[in-house]
């Protein structure tokens, strides 16, 4: 119940295309859903995050869509660029236990072709 | 944005020695710090959660005596890998959370190689 399932494992997109990464969870206590971008040898960097009281959040070329009833959320990268080539992780956390630990998805390796 | 630093960025040590990794929040007070371990092409695995002035809470399967965590101040946490062995070689990443407990800011990571 603590798992966050992420798909696809890898993704190849043409420059200018839309990259879509999906995550699903079981624990209804999760109340914060961030997406992180990680380049090789670097720490993850927060891209965008959403809480379950909204169904969509957009920041620049990045959009999170959230479906509370389906317990799914996704990251859309519009106008994908070669510089977006990285590994993307979704995560979920809950404040109920007081620790706000992140449960990470397994990651998606995105490659954007020039 | 909030900045978290780690030192060193990479370290190579001999088997049996201990290695200390520092994690600092540079421009905010970190109520909680987290330590993760990441193997190549894998996700981040939470090792422990630490609150300033308290003992760290370790995840199941993580050896407390091997991975010593100290959160001495609101801006500094350290991870000491004791009696390191080659299987401890990994990428260690810390994160820090401030007033907005949900949001974690990650450090750049430390690459540990044990020979």
């Amino acid at each position: 119940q603590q798992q966050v399932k992420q798909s696809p494992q890898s993704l190849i997109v043409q420059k200018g295309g839309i990259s879509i990464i999906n995550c699903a969870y079981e624990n209804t206590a999760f109340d914060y859903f961030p997406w992180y971008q990680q380049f090789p040898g670097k720490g993850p960097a927060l891209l965008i995050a959403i809480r379950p009281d909204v169904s969509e959040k957009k920041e620049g070329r990045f959009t999170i869509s959230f479906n509370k009833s389906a317990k799914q959320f996704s990251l859309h990268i519009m106008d994908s660029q070669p510089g977006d080539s990285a590994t993307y992780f979704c995560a979920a956390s809950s404040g109920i236990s007081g620790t706000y630990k992140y449960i990470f998805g397994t990651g998606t390796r995105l490659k954007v072709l020039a | 944005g909030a900045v978290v630093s780690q030192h060193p960025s990479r370290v190579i040590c001999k088997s049996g020695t201990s290695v200390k990794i520092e994690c600092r929040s540079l421009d905010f007070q970190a109520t909680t710090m987290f330590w993760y371990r990441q193997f190549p092409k894998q996700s981040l695995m939470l090792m422990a959660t630490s609150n300033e002035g308290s003992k760290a809470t370790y995840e199941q399967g993580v050896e407390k005596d091997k991975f010593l965590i100290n959160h001495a101040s609101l801006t500094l946490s350290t991870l000491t890998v004791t009696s390191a062995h080659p299987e401890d070689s990994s990428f260690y990443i810390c994160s820090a959370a401030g007033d907005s407990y949900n949001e974690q800011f990650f450090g750049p990571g430390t690459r540990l190689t044990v020979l």
Side-chain angles (χ1 to χ4, degrees), chain B residues 8 16 18 32 35 37-38 45 70 72 86 88 107 110:
Chain B
S18 294
T32 306
W35 286 95
R37 185 174 182 177
Q38 186 178 35
M45 183 188 78
N70 183 282
D88 298 324
T110 296

Side-chain angles (χ1 to χ4, degrees), chain B residues 73-87:
Chain B
S73 75
L74 285 172
T75 59
L76 173 65
S77 176
T78 59
L79 167 68
T80 302
V81 183
T82 62
S83 186
H85 291 286
E87 57 266 30

Side-chain angles (χ1 to χ4, degrees), chain A residues 19-96:
Chain A
S19 303
I20 301 174
I21 305 171
N22 302 298
C23 284
Y25 63 97
E26 289 295 325
N27 188 349
T28 55
F30 287 144
D31 57 9
Y32 182 73
F33 304 89
W35 283 92
Y36 283 85
Q37 178 190 58
Q38 185 180 32
F39 293 104
K42 306 294 183 184
L46 178 66
L47 269 179
I48 187 171
I50 199 168
R51 297 184 188 278
D53 53 345
V54 297
S55 60
E56 186 175 282
K57 183 176 181 179
K58 184 176 180 179
E59 288 184 3
R61 295 186 294 112
F62 302 97
T63 299
I64 297 180
S65 296
F66 186 82
N67 187 328
K68 188 174 182 178
S69 60
K71 291 184 282 187
Q72 295 175 349
F73 59 109
S74 60
L75 174 70
H76 295 232
I77 305 175
M78 312 300 286
D79 188 26
S80 299
Q81 299 296 313
D84 296 330
S85 298
T87 300
Y88 293 81
F89 293 98
C90 63
S93 75
S94 166
I96 288 182

Side-chain angles (χ1 to χ4, degrees), chain A residues 31-32 34 36 38 41-46 51 89 93-95 99-102 104-107 109, chain B residues 32 34 36 38 41-46 49 59 91 93 100-109 111:
Chain A
D31 57 9
Y32 182 73
Y36 283 85
Q38 185 180 32
K42 306 294 183 184
L46 178 66
R51 297 184 188 278
F89 293 98
S93 75
S94 166
T99 62
Y100 301 92
K101 295 191 301 185
Y102 280 3
F104 277 95
T106 49
R109 300 184 76 182
Chain B
T32 306
F34 304 84
Y36 295 84
Q38 186 178 35
K41 298 184 181 181
Q42 292 190 22
S43 188
L44 287 80
M45 183 188 78
L46 180 65
T49 303
E59 295 299 300
F91 193 50
I93 309 171
S100 177
Y101 295 102
N102 281 133
E103 191 169 3
Q104 293 183 29
F105 300 95
F106 284 80
R111 173 76 58 194

